[in-house]
Amino acid sequence: MASISGTAIATFARPQFAARAQVVKGFSGLKSVSFSIQRNGFPSVRLQPAPRRFQVSCAAKPETVQKVCEIVKKQLALSDDTPVTGESKFSALGADSLDTVEIVMGLEEAFEISVEEESAQSITTVQDAADLIEKLVEAKSS
Amino acid sequence: MSWLLRRNMLPLHSNSLARRPLASPPPLLPAPLPSPRETHLWYVVPDQLKDASLLNQYMDLLSPCERQSVLRMNGERLQKGALLARALVRTTLARYTDCRVSPKSFKFRKNRFGKPEVEWNKYDLWAPPPLQFNISHTSTMIACGVALDLPIGVDIEEKQRKTRNNILSLARRYFSPVEVAYLRTLADLESQRHEFIRLWTLKEAYVKALGRGFSGAPFKDFTIRLEASNSKQVTGESKSDASRIVVEAVDHPGILMNRWHFALFELNNSHYAAVCMERDVKDPADRENNSLKLEVWRTLPFVEDECVTETAAVKNIIR
């Protein structure tokens, strides 16, 4: 695991998104976003994957994936023999939107990073989360 | 008063293709369309389903794509929940079509932000009702809200839901400053937890009604709170204080986003439920002081429907 240099814990970044003022007035001009993280909605509608914002040249280290699996299993109270791997989709594991934000908070704490709303939306699998974490950790230490 | 209805003898369009020779499912109790400013909420309690053959009947209603999605869920309990959710949506919507559209025939698409909506076939002699719907589930309940023409969002949470993180930490991370301040006024942790959950359902319902996805309306950027209403109560409902639920943008405090109205209540003694519905701004009758109307049914599709609106299953309604 890359060592985390730098002293301060990252402050929570303000969520970025395009036309903020439109939250008040209406919907015009908003860029299309898709939500990959399931709400308590119904899981069988396949949502469009969000465009990849992060180009990672190689997948996250197994230890990172393992740590993410642990955090996810703990949050969702999954038994030890429930298989959770990099390919596991949060929605298929039964995570609702509150679970997801708790998982993100757990990851932020464990890895001392700050995840923006938009990045959080692009995570559908454990692997996605691990890749994002490593990207953020790397960005922090560089 | 509640009434129990078993299946009655109504004709149902049969489906041309069945994967296996299943008997046609029993007919569904039809429902009259929601009136303006009215939400219909249908909920199912998975634990009430004991009959495995019913699961087969539900599975038969789904599209191949939906079936695959159900089977991709991790474990039997989650699969059953996913299956029930689809069956609930399909059977609920079918009730509003006057028996013209069977649950199996419905098609769905997503709006450009990913919110599911009905995709109607073209009918020669019938205009399908402009049904808007939204579903929400927990492991112990699935709810489907229906409204006519105007966007709707529904969210339910178990009253006893515990969070792994500290409530105020969660609130500071995800809620608006006004909401955090409100939670901080609550001295005991249990009240804080309950209020957090209730606020969460309201915020979720709003975002789902907007239909733009979580990042289309980040939780941190809007406040939902109670506002003292200065209008007289027109209806005979008693409210301890004439206040209503309002939403405002954090950047524009005091400017209420009046196009949305809300209802928050307890459901089945087990859940908090929030409904958010858009107002019809073109309708002069849909003024600020006309609150959202609610009709609620407990259902086990094809088996039992019970209207629970005026019962103890729906209580502590705030609008």
Side-chain angles (χ1 to χ4, degrees):
Chain A
M1 174 108 77
S3 65
I4 299 170
S5 56
T7 48
I9 303 286
T11 55
F12 299 124
R14 290 285 294 155
Q16 294 168 359
F17 59 117
R20 253 162 83 170
Q22 264 91 348
V23 171
V24 182
K25 296 282 188 313
F27 313 123
S28 60
L30 282 176
K31 67 182 170 151
S32 172
V33 297
S34 51
F35 40 156
S36 307
I37 306 235
Q38 296 289 351
R39 321 193 69 77
N40 308 357
F42 81 88
S44 58
V45 170
R46 262 313 136 228
L47 301 171
Q48 304 302 326
R52 288 272 161 195
R53 295 172 59 86
F54 301 102
Q55 300 302 319
V56 283
S57 51
C58 53
K61 291 193 275 297
E63 308 95 81
T64 310
V65 175
Q66 182 57 33
K67 184 84 189 143
V68 175
C69 287
E70 276 168 31
I71 290 170
V72 169
K73 275 177 122 157
K74 194 165 146 207
Q75 173 63 34
L76 302 179
L78 302 174
S79 62
D80 281 331
D81 50 2
T82 306
V84 179
T85 66
E87 281 80 50
S88 300
K89 285 191 160 187
F90 289 118
S91 56
L93 294 172
D96 64 17
S97 50
L98 185 50
D99 289 314
T100 304
V101 304
E102 292 221 80
I103 288 170
V104 169
M105 269 181 81
L107 296 177
E108 286 180 330
E109 219 171 294
F111 293 95
E112 298 184 324
I113 50 173
S114 169
V115 179
E116 291 171 11
E117 304 288 343
E118 283 194 335
S119 313
Q121 292 314 303
S122 65
I123 299 174
T124 44
T125 63
V126 168
Q127 188 69 48
D128 290 342
D131 293 345
L132 174 60
I133 286 162
E134 292 215 340
K135 187 89 185 170
L136 291 172
V137 165
E138 198 190 300
K140 251 195 83 180
S141 54
S142 59
Chain B
M1 62 223 115
S2 68
W3 33 269
L4 273 168
L5 274 158
R6 301 253 156 201
R7 44 190 164 128
N8 44 27
M9 307 310 290
L10 288 171
L12 193 72
H13 289 272
S14 62
N15 307 302
S16 49
L17 289 169
R19 282 191 321 133
R20 2 169 232 293
L22 263 186
S24 296
L28 283 165
L29 178 74
L33 294 174
S35 43
R37 291 186 305 288
E38 187 173 71
T39 292
H40 287 185
L41 194 73
W42 296 76
Y43 71 91
V44 64
V45 176
D47 288 341
Q48 286 178 355
L49 198 163
K50 312 276 192 218
D51 181 2
S53 71
L54 203 51
L55 285 176
N56 285 333
Q57 287 195 5
Y58 293 158
M59 195 58 120
D60 200 55
L61 302 177
L62 270 50
S63 69
C65 190
E66 287 170 342
R67 272 185 216 124
Q68 281 176 29
S69 295
V70 164
L71 295 172
R72 274 200 289 266
M73 296 298 286
N74 197 315
E76 222 178 84
R77 185 184 62 80
L78 289 175
Q79 286 179 8
K80 182 178 166 189
L83 171 58
L84 275 174
R86 288 326 289 153
L88 179 66
V89 173
R90 285 173 170 275
T91 54
T92 300
L93 292 173
R95 297 173 196 273
Y96 295 98
T97 64
D98 210 13
C99 299
R100 281 185 172 84
V101 185
S102 70
K104 197 177 164 79
S105 315
F106 275 90
K107 291 194 185 50
F108 299 92
R109 59 167 180 244
K110 281 162 283 178
N111 76 1
R112 63 193 183 111
F113 302 111
K115 183 176 181 182
E117 51 188 35
V118 180
E119 185 172 10
W120 295 101
N121 288 331
K122 300 271 182 292
Y123 296 92
D124 283 334
L125 296 171
W126 177 64
L131 297 175
Q132 295 278 335
F133 73 95
N134 194 234
I135 65 165
S136 175
H137 55 134
T138 66
S139 52
T140 48
M141 184 191 283
I142 305 159
C144 179
V146 180
L148 206 56
D149 211 18
L150 291 160
I152 175 180
V154 172
D155 193 59
I156 58 174
E157 287 295 347
E158 288 174 355
K159 283 167 66 175
Q160 294 311 313
R161 180 169 187 153
K162 304 280 186 286
T163 59
R164 299 237 171 258
N165 293 280
N166 167 267
I167 292 291
L168 287 179
S169 301
L170 274 169
R172 274 191 295 264
R173 176 77 174 84
Y174 289 105
F175 281 9
S176 77
V178 168
E179 291 163 342
V180 175
Y182 165 65
L183 287 173
R184 294 185 69 175
T185 66
L186 303 168
D188 80 282
L189 292 178
E190 262 303 279
S191 304
Q192 256 186 17
R193 189 181 62 75
H194 280 278
E195 289 308 292
F196 175 85
I197 303 281
R198 292 166 87 221
L199 254 181
W200 183 274
T201 60
L202 281 166
K203 290 171 82 78
E204 275 280 310
Y206 170 64
V207 171
K208 292 172 82 180
L210 271 174
R212 280 185 276 151
F214 202 65
S215 47
F219 270 24
K220 239 180 165 25
D221 291 350
F222 65 91
T223 293
I224 293 187
R225 57 181 179 79
L226 278 180
E227 163 98 341
S229 172
N230 48 18
S231 58
K232 268 207 283 207
Q233 281 305 103
V234 179
T235 67
E237 303 161 26
S238 63
K239 260 201 229 176
S240 52
D241 43 32
S243 53
R244 60 198 177 105
I245 301 173
V246 297
V247 58
E248 63 190 8
V250 166
D251 288 348
H252 299 266
I255 301 176
L256 305 178
M257 292 190 268
N258 280 322
R259 62 190 291 182
W260 302 100
H261 53 173
F262 295 87
L264 176 69
F265 51 101
E266 286 182 39
L267 193 52
N268 201 42
N269 285 317
S270 56
H271 284 71
Y272 292 121
V275 173
C276 175
M277 201 170 125
E278 190 174 335
R279 285 184 198 280
D280 184 354
V281 293
K282 298 188 301 297
D283 178 5
D286 203 343
R287 294 191 204 293
E288 288 180 22
N289 55 353
N290 285 352
S291 46
L292 192 153
K293 289 179 283 183
L294 199 60
E295 292 287 326
V296 185
W297 286 264
R298 182 186 60 77
T299 178
L300 192 56
F302 303 137
V303 176
E304 193 174 79
D305 302 311
E306 184 188 356
C307 182
V308 297
T309 307
E310 302 287 319
T311 72
V314 181
K315 60 184 192 191
N316 297 337
I317 306 174
I318 303 178
R319 303 174 214 248

